[in-house]
Amino acid sequence: MKKTLIFTCALLISILSVAQDAVTAGKIAKNYVSSDYNRNSLTLVGLNFGENLSDRIYQNFSKLEIPDKFYSNPLQNKTIATGTDRASVSDMFNQLDPTVISKWLNQNKVGQQILSTWFNRQQDGSFNVEVLKERGLFNANDNEFMIASASKRGESSLMDMGLQLVNQTYLIAFDFTNNMTMTQYYDKSEVEAAKRTMNGFKTSLKTYLFKLDFNDSVAAVFFQDYWVGENTPDKQARIDAFENAEFPFVLVSKQMNEITSAQYNEGQPMAPKKQLTEDELLDQLSKVAFENTITTIEKQVQSFRVKAMVSSVKPISAKIGKKEGLKFDQRYFVYENRQRNNGTLSSKRIGVVKSMTVADNRKVTSGQTKPSEFYQIAGGQVDNYGMFLEQHNDVGLNVFIGATAGGLSGINARAEYYISKVFGEFVKDGKSGKPLTSWKIYGEIGYGGDTYTVENFVDDFTFTHFSFGISKDFYPLSFLHWGPFVGYGVELGDWETNSDDEEIDTDFLEAGARVGVNLAHNIQLLGSATYYAKISSQIKDSKGEVLVDDFDYTGYFEDRMGLGISLGLRIMF
């Protein structure tokens, strides 16, 4: 009787919450971002059509584990043998019919297995609330804990949250198609033998995100018709009804990714010292497939993006961490929700921040959770009076296009990639990780030309340079950043009357600083001051043999080294 009362109360809370959301939903703008966040639960299942390499891929896929960010609802068998050909269940774009996938899920009792985890089903068919309590408590943040502690029911109210979490149960169906070894890919693409440099696997992955729709009516039927307690009189009838039930799986989104897990063959310049085995490459294939899918889903589905209230500033802090899957140097947007004169709720993005310390909060809150800290890279002033963070992953890639005067003058383009994301493990507990943030490696290409006099003849020369190096950004103000860099490069020179395919080959060191002003959160007007120092210069023929070993590069091209000033735009992805 006591447990029945708990469920009835919890169900009423859920119904009232949904009803309130329905009222509010009529008064929200399209740009509204809810500040609420609860952990989702996740189940993975593979759809095996028995095609080339399918069995091997899904065997390794079954080893995947759900990350800490989600509650795990594992299946006894992570793979469903479809028993049919792909064409009969696909559309013209080779995408599977969601209703067919849902049918397969019910045929394989996936809904029963998921709910058996949520309601801690025992061997005798009975359910209990132990997992609901555990997950409700683990999901709670400090604010919810303090509110609950002040209430008459105390922590019991946090346990009831578990029932609300059941309706945030998701499943990802994986469909690996066009599976090939690199040898099969080379054969299909008719790649010549000299260019067959890699071994491994390639696949086209289609994934389908479903939600187990445990709405009020489904919950009511579950408790009224399927629930088995200690003293349930019609126990076997309820067990049979549960086993024969069908549960609603609603398609939320679709994702497509091309996945490659390959390595250079032995003897190739970039080959690993020890070649991975085929099983290790297939394990890597599954992990990359999952990571790419989750990244895409986080962009598509708001409920998969972590959110947290700003708890303090100087530095900006929020009480999220490893429990929510927070990573070092990960990007979040700062929002503030506002109410318009007509009562409509809307959201305004205040700023953009990145994490610089990640708290290990993987435990039930006691109201004193240690916050993670962030540094601001764009936007206005952030405060802790109702502002909140929302996860917005970046690719970690910047692209710059601009022009340089002086030094290696001309048009230049640069790609930068953040390597700082892997530095989080070096941040000691209680220490700021800011010195390790925003480190990048870069590669640059430039092109320029002018008329010069060399050996008493006048000619038009063109120059192409390539360089790579490392840099770091500092953010003294939210709209301004600067950063030093150092690199190494090579410049190739050619001239108009050159008929012998000769070229001037010059290598150099470069160092300097860049300063950027935000035009938008991901677009900056960027200026650089770079000093170029020649190391050596040679003239080579078309075979790479040295014709002039110590060419007087700076003597003939006096303006090609020294200080250069560049200006252009940088876009962050």
Side-chain angles (χ1 to χ4, degrees):
M1 184 68 182
K2 183 178 179 181
K3 289 183 178 179
T4 303
L5 181 61
I6 292 175
F7 278 119
T8 303
C9 292
L11 188 58
L12 286 174
I13 292 171
S14 177
I15 294 172
L16 290 173
S17 175
V18 171
Q20 181 61 42
D21 288 345
V23 173
T24 307
K27 295 183 179 181
I28 61 175
K30 289 183 179 180
N31 70 336
Y32 177 74
V33 179
S34 172
S35 60
D36 294 332
Y37 173 74
N38 290 302
R39 289 165 62 84
N40 296 324
S41 68
L42 197 59
T43 299
L44 308 181
V45 64
L47 306 176
N48 189 350
F49 283 88
E51 298 167 333
N52 181 47
L53 296 173
S54 287
D55 289 342
R56 294 186 65 188
I57 288 175
Y58 285 114
Q59 182 179 0
N60 289 74
F61 167 82
S62 297
K63 302 175 187 177
L64 278 177
E65 295 184 358
I66 302 297
D68 290 340
K69 181 180 177 180
F70 306 99
Y71 296 118
S72 177
N73 296 325
L75 303 179
Q76 292 179 351
N77 188 343
K78 287 185 179 179
T79 303
I80 292 176
T82 63
T84 186
D85 64 291
R86 182 180 300 281
S88 64
V89 291
S90 301
D91 61 18
M92 60 184 296
F93 302 106
N94 203 30
Q95 294 185 358
L96 301 180
D97 184 346
T99 59
V100 174
I101 300 177
S102 181
K103 179 181 176 182
W104 290 335
L105 297 177
N106 276 297
Q107 287 175 346
N108 286 269
K109 308 298 181 184
V110 171
Q112 282 86 342
Q113 293 181 65
I114 291 174
L115 291 175
S116 292
T117 297
W118 269 113
F119 295 102
N120 201 28
R121 195 183 191 205
Q122 304 299 298
Q123 290 185 350
D124 64 356
S126 64
F127 298 101
N128 62 57
V129 296
E130 295 307 312
V131 172
L132 285 179
K133 291 178 180 179
E134 177 185 329
R135 291 185 173 183
L137 286 171
F138 191 73
N139 177 76
N141 57 39
D142 280 7
N143 289 337
E144 292 163 337
F145 178 86
M146 289 185 287
I147 293 172
S149 298
S151 69
K152 292 183 179 180
R153 297 186 60 223
E155 291 186 13
S156 298
S157 61
L158 297 180
M159 298 176 186
D160 292 345
M161 292 177 63
L163 185 60
Q164 299 176 37
L165 297 176
V166 178
N167 201 30
Q168 289 185 218
T169 298
Y170 291 89
L171 175 144
I172 306 176
F174 286 73
D175 179 23
F176 292 93
T177 69
N178 300 319
N179 311 316
M180 291 179 281
T181 64
M182 290 304 297
T183 299
Q184 292 169 334
Y185 169 74
Y186 289 141
D187 289 343
K188 181 179 179 180
S189 304
E190 298 181 349
V191 176
E192 59 187 83
K195 295 182 178 179
R196 298 185 176 211
T197 58
M198 304 188 78
N199 65 86
F201 302 90
K202 289 178 68 70
T203 183
S204 298
L205 174 64
K206 295 181 175 65
T207 50
Y208 305 82
L209 177 67
F210 287 88
K211 180 181 179 183
L212 174 61
D213 191 10
F214 199 74
N215 56 44
D216 296 337
S217 58
V218 173
V221 171
F222 176 82
F223 293 126
Q224 292 170 9
D225 299 342
Y226 308 147
W227 181 266
V228 175
E230 295 177 356
N231 301 310
T232 303
D234 52 347
K235 183 175 180 179
Q236 191 58 49
R238 287 172 174 262
I239 291 175
D240 293 341
F242 177 68
E243 291 294 340
N244 294 321
E246 291 192 353
F247 293 96
F249 288 92
V250 179
L251 181 69
V252 178
S253 65
K254 303 176 185 178
Q255 301 77 38
M256 291 187 290
N257 287 287
E258 295 295 321
I259 309 296
T260 299
S261 177
Q263 61 189 343
Y264 282 96
N265 297 326
E266 288 187 48
Q268 294 292 326
M270 298 180 66
K273 292 182 179 180
K274 181 181 179 182
Q275 292 277 304
L276 297 177
T277 66
E278 288 192 345
D279 272 347
E280 288 172 332
L281 287 168
L282 287 170
D283 280 341
Q284 182 175 277
L285 180 79
S286 296
K287 291 176 182 176
V288 172
F290 176 76
E291 289 169 1
N292 288 4
T293 298
I294 287 296
T295 298
T296 305
I297 289 174
E298 286 172 342
K299 292 179 181 178
Q300 294 175 338
V301 184
Q302 189 179 129
S303 61
F304 273 71
R305 297 196 288 267
V306 176
K307 303 169 191 177
M309 303 303 295
V310 176
S311 58
S312 62
V313 295
K314 296 181 181 181
I316 297 169
S317 303
K319 293 191 175 183
I320 51 175
K322 292 184 178 181
K323 183 165 76 171
E324 292 78 20
L326 180 65
K327 297 180 177 62
F328 185 76
D329 228 10
Q330 187 177 19
R331 187 179 68 175
Y332 275 68
F333 286 179
V334 182
Y335 287 101
E336 183 177 46
N337 287 337
R338 300 174 177 179
Q339 189 168 25
R340 298 173 180 170
N341 292 335
N342 62 1
T344 302
L345 293 176
S346 64
S347 300
K348 179 179 176 59
R349 188 179 66 216
I350 303 300
V352 181
V353 298
K354 282 189 172 184
S355 55
M356 62 181 181
T357 61
V358 179
D360 189 351
N361 60 344
R362 291 172 295 183
K363 58 184 178 181
V364 175
T365 181
S366 62
Q368 300 295 324
T369 303
K370 186 177 180 179
S372 295
E373 296 177 347
F374 299 78
Y375 65 101
Q376 190 169 0
I377 64 172
Q381 185 174 355
V382 176
D383 63 47
N384 56 335
Y385 302 109
M387 294 187 186
F388 64 96
L389 310 181
E390 184 185 55
Q391 174 188 356
H392 280 266
N393 296 335
D394 56 354
V395 176
L397 178 68
N398 301 337
V399 175
F400 169 86
I401 299 177
T404 300
L408 302 186
S409 59
I411 304 299
N412 53 308
R414 181 173 61 252
E416 305 170 338
Y417 185 75
Y418 287 89
I419 59 173
S420 49
K421 294 179 182 293
V422 302
F423 293 164
E425 61 185 89
F426 301 111
V427 180
K428 296 182 180 180
D429 189 36
K431 301 291 185 180
S432 172
K434 197 168 185 178
L436 297 178
T437 61
S438 291
W439 281 95
K440 308 183 296 296
I441 54 175
Y442 70 85
E444 181 171 304
I445 181 172
Y447 179 83
D450 207 341
T451 302
Y452 294 90
T453 301
V454 178
E455 299 289 349
N456 296 321
F457 71 90
V458 179
D459 211 333
D460 292 329
F461 286 78
T462 57
F463 302 92
T464 304
H465 75 262
F466 308 88
S467 64
F468 63 91
I470 189 167
S471 65
K472 175 177 169 54
D473 286 344
F474 296 90
Y475 291 84
L477 300 172
S478 61
F479 63 88
L480 176 73
H481 81 270
W482 77 277
F485 64 92
V486 62
Y488 168 82
V490 174
E491 178 163 84
L492 305 177
D494 195 6
W495 53 97
E496 186 176 357
T497 59
N498 180 15
S499 59
D500 299 321
D501 292 329
E502 298 173 355
E503 67 179 13
I504 304 169
D505 189 336
T506 306
D507 61 340
F508 59 89
L509 293 176
E510 62 182 19
R514 301 176 180 128
V515 178
V517 178
N518 288 353
L519 303 179
H521 79 273
N522 60 340
I523 302 176
Q524 293 100 33
L525 179 65
L526 194 67
S528 303
T530 308
Y531 188 84
Y532 302 95
K534 187 196 78 168
I535 300 175
S536 64
S537 184
Q538 301 171 326
I539 296 181
K540 297 180 179 180
D541 63 16
S542 59
K543 296 180 181 179
E545 296 181 1
V546 178
L547 302 177
V548 179
D549 187 40
D550 189 15
F551 177 68
D552 187 12
Y553 178 88
T554 53
Y556 291 111
F557 311 117
E558 295 180 358
D559 59 346
R560 290 303 296 172
M561 287 292 164
L563 182 64
I565 303 296
S566 70
L567 186 67
L569 290 178
R570 184 177 81 166
I571 303 175
M572 306 171 71
F573 296 95

